[in-house]
């Protein structure tokens, strides 16, 4: 059978890899740190349902000093409080942006402090995932030796997953990466013409679209925790029915502690949908998801709405485009809508995006025959 159109991998039971991979997210587009946060959410979710401590995560954030508040802080703190055996966080650096001409000794000291933590964590065997958020610009600024970082990562424990984010990843790091996703920005004049704000689209063949959306959700949940009553989040996911998605447990834990902050819905079958294998239930489930999303957008109740895998749903012609365009044109000004998924033909609502990152695939371990991994890929 010839498979036409776009299909996404579901969380059906399958073999999974044991070997940990080195991920690099770079590029000028938005979504790099968000993608890392999405993996953190998945890993914690997997650990909640695992009786041992084999899914511990270190979130090491360079260039994000503790003096500054970030949107995701509240949600990370809540997860740390509820599951202290699953997540550690270390933040280093100044609370302000600086360029190569403004480097001071403090910047080198903070980079070294963070890297010392990272080396210890990598060698310890205590972690299943180590996130080196914004290490790429640290290397580009010359605050750490690239060769030392590369050699340390090359000798990491076999099972450890390492995620490096930020602009300007050095070539030596890209050479040893098993996955390299570049976020490329696109700009649409129609968004300015219509005076639109807060519409983000993540598309492309690379890994990082849904994980960026999950990271964005974590940021929005954190805002709601830090500022009760000011924000509510809806995570709506198409083509992902069934169970087995590891982020569900972490989201459910946050829902239980903060029911006024986050709602989460899935729709679709637990099977890959191709254009020549669409079933009536696929249309019914796609429309059910859109009815929920359309009502949420119009309500003004939600400040952040994630429409995960909406793009392939439209590409498969399970939903018409025009109602989505109209809903986005009429959305409340302070409601953020984040849309994800690959597609062969960009639908008309792409022109309304205020942020559009194409996730370009330079390398992907799945293309080399490596299996996907629970708590990282799904």
């Amino acid at each position: 059978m010839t498979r036409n159109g776009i299909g996404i991998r579901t969380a059906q039971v399958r073999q999974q890899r044991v070997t940990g991979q080195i991920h690099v997210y770079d590029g000028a587009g938005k979504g790099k740190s968000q993608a890392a946060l999405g993996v953190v959410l998945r890993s914690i979710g997997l650990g909640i349902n695992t009786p041992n401590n084999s899914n511990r995560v270190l979130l090491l954030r360079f260039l994000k000093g503790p003096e500054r508040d970030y949107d995701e802080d509240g949600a990370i703190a809540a997860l740390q409080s509820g599951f202290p055996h699953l997540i550690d966080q270390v933040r280093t650096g100044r609370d302000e942006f600086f360029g190569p001409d403004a480097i001071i000794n403090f910047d080198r000291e903070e980079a070294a402090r963070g890297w010392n933590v990272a080396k210890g964590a990598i060698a310890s065997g205590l972690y299943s995932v180590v996130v080196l958020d914004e290490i790429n610009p640290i290397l580009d600024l010359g605050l750490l030796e690239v060769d030392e970082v590369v050699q340390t990562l090359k000798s990491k424990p076999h099972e450890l997953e390492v995620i490096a984010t930020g602009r300007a990843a050095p070539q030596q790091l890209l050479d040893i990466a098993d996955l390299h996703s570049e976020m490329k920005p696109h700009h649409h004049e129609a968004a300015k013409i219509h005076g639109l704000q807060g519409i983000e689209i993540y598309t492309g063949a690379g890994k990082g679209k849904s994980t960026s959306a999950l990271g964005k959700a974590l940021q929005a949940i954190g805002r709601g925790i830090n500022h009760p009553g000011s924000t509510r989040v809806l995570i709506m996911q198409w083509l992902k029915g069934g169970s087995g998605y590891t982020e569900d447990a972490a989201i459910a834990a946050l829902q239980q502690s903060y029911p006024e902050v986050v709602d989460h819905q899935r729709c679709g079958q637990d099977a890959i949908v191709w254009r020549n294998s669409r079933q009536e239930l696929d249309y019914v489930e796609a429309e059910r998801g859109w009815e929920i999303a359309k009502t949420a957008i119009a309500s003004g109740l939600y400040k952040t709405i994630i429409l995960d895998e909406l793009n392939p749903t439209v590409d498969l012609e399970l939903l018409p485009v025009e109602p989505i365009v109209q809903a986005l044109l009429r959305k409340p000004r302070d409601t953020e809508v984040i849309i994800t998924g690959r597609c062969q033909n960009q639908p008309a609502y792409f022109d309304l995006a205020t942020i559009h990152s194409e996730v370009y695939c330079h390398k992907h371990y799945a293309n080399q025959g490596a299996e996907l991994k629970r708590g990282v890929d799904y």
Side-chain angles (χ1 to χ4, degrees):
M1 177 185 292
T2 302
R3 289 172 169 173
N4 297 317
I6 295 290
I8 66 163
R9 297 180 188 238
T10 67
Q12 296 179 90
V13 176
R14 62 165 77 89
Q15 279 190 320
Q16 64 166 322
R17 61 184 163 82
V18 175
T19 304
Q21 308 288 334
I22 298 172
H23 309 227
V24 177
Y25 296 97
D26 78 340
K30 187 175 179 182
K32 302 177 289 292
S33 292
Q34 286 174 198
L37 288 173
V39 175
V40 167
L41 194 67
R42 282 180 172 160
S43 298
I44 292 170
L46 179 62
I48 289 172
N49 289 326
T50 304
N52 54 43
N53 294 347
S54 62
N55 294 289
R56 192 174 183 90
V57 180
L58 172 65
L59 178 56
L60 177 54
R61 303 164 76 188
F62 293 91
L63 301 176
K64 293 181 176 177
E67 294 81 10
R68 180 177 174 182
D69 293 331
Y70 289 85
D71 287 341
E72 62 270 19
D73 292 347
I76 292 171
L79 290 168
Q80 281 184 301
S81 176
F83 309 100
H85 62 296
L86 292 179
I87 179 171
D88 292 320
Q89 179 185 205
V90 176
R91 293 170 57 178
T92 73
R94 284 194 247 173
D95 59 351
E96 59 186 353
F97 173 82
F98 61 91
D101 297 333
I103 293 173
I104 59 177
N105 284 338
F106 178 79
D107 301 323
R108 300 186 187 281
E109 292 168 358
E110 283 292 277
R113 179 172 72 89
W115 180 238
N116 284 335
V117 172
K119 286 189 293 185
I122 291 169
S124 71
L126 294 175
Y127 296 94
S128 63
V129 177
V130 171
V131 175
L132 305 176
D133 186 33
E134 301 295 352
I135 194 170
N136 296 342
I138 285 283
L139 296 172
D140 185 57
L141 287 166
L143 297 176
L144 291 174
E145 291 292 333
V146 175
D147 289 343
E148 182 187 351
V149 171
V150 167
Q151 289 304 315
T152 299
L153 297 186
K154 285 174 67 176
S155 60
K156 72 174 183 62
H158 182 70
E159 301 84 1
L160 178 65
E161 215 82 24
V162 177
I163 301 171
T165 78
R167 296 190 183 203
Q171 188 59 50
Q172 299 99 304
L173 179 58
L174 298 177
D175 289 342
I176 66 165
D178 303 291
L179 181 143
H180 174 203
S181 288
E182 179 187 358
M183 276 60 171
K184 294 183 176 181
H186 295 268
H187 303 284
H188 301 278
E189 291 300 319
K192 294 180 181 179
I193 293 171
H194 290 287
L196 293 172
Q197 294 181 357
I199 299 174
E200 300 184 14
I201 294 179
Y202 297 92
T203 190
K207 175 177 168 57
K209 302 177 292 293
S210 289
T211 43
S212 287
L214 289 173
K216 184 76 175 184
L218 192 68
Q219 292 172 334
I221 293 166
R223 281 201 304 272
I225 291 171
N226 281 337
H227 307 284
S230 67
T231 185
R232 191 175 181 93
V233 184
L234 171 65
I235 305 169
M236 185 72 232
Q237 298 184 291
W238 278 267
L239 301 176
K240 291 180 176 178
S243 59
Y245 295 91
T246 53
E247 65 264 23
D248 289 359
I251 294 170
L254 290 168
Q255 280 182 301
Q256 185 172 1
S257 298
Y258 305 96
E260 74 286 356
V261 171
V262 58
D263 292 320
H264 181 205
Q265 296 281 338
R266 291 189 181 278
C267 64
Q269 301 188 64
D270 191 14
I272 298 177
V273 179
W274 300 96
R275 193 179 302 277
N276 59 358
S277 65
R278 293 167 294 187
Q279 301 176 18
E280 183 62 28
L281 182 58
D282 298 322
Y283 291 91
V284 171
E285 282 290 280
E287 186 62 34
R288 179 176 71 84
W290 174 242
E291 286 298 316
I292 295 170
K294 178 178 67 176
T295 302
I297 292 169
S299 70
L301 175 65
Y302 295 93
K303 294 298 183 284
T304 301
I305 297 174
I306 309 294
L307 306 181
D308 184 36
E309 303 297 355
L310 179 62
N311 293 336
T313 303
V314 171
D315 192 69
L316 287 163
E317 299 178 347
L318 299 176
L319 286 174
V321 176
E322 188 57 26
I324 300 171
V325 171
Q326 294 303 316
L328 293 177
L329 284 171
R330 296 168 183 167
K331 79 171 185 67
R333 188 172 181 82
D334 59 350
T335 296
E336 289 185 303
V337 178
I338 293 87
I339 301 172
T340 78
R342 64 170 69 188
C343 55
Q344 291 179 337
N345 302 295
Q346 292 188 1
Y349 58 77
F350 271 52
D351 290 337
L352 306 180
T354 49
I355 292 174
H356 173 192
S357 281
E358 178 186 1
V359 186
Y360 189 84
C361 181
H362 291 281
K363 286 184 185 179
H364 197 310
Y365 38 77
N367 296 334
Q368 306 303 317
E371 298 289 345
L372 301 186
K373 187 176 185 180
R374 285 174 56 78
V376 175
D377 298 298
Y378 63 96

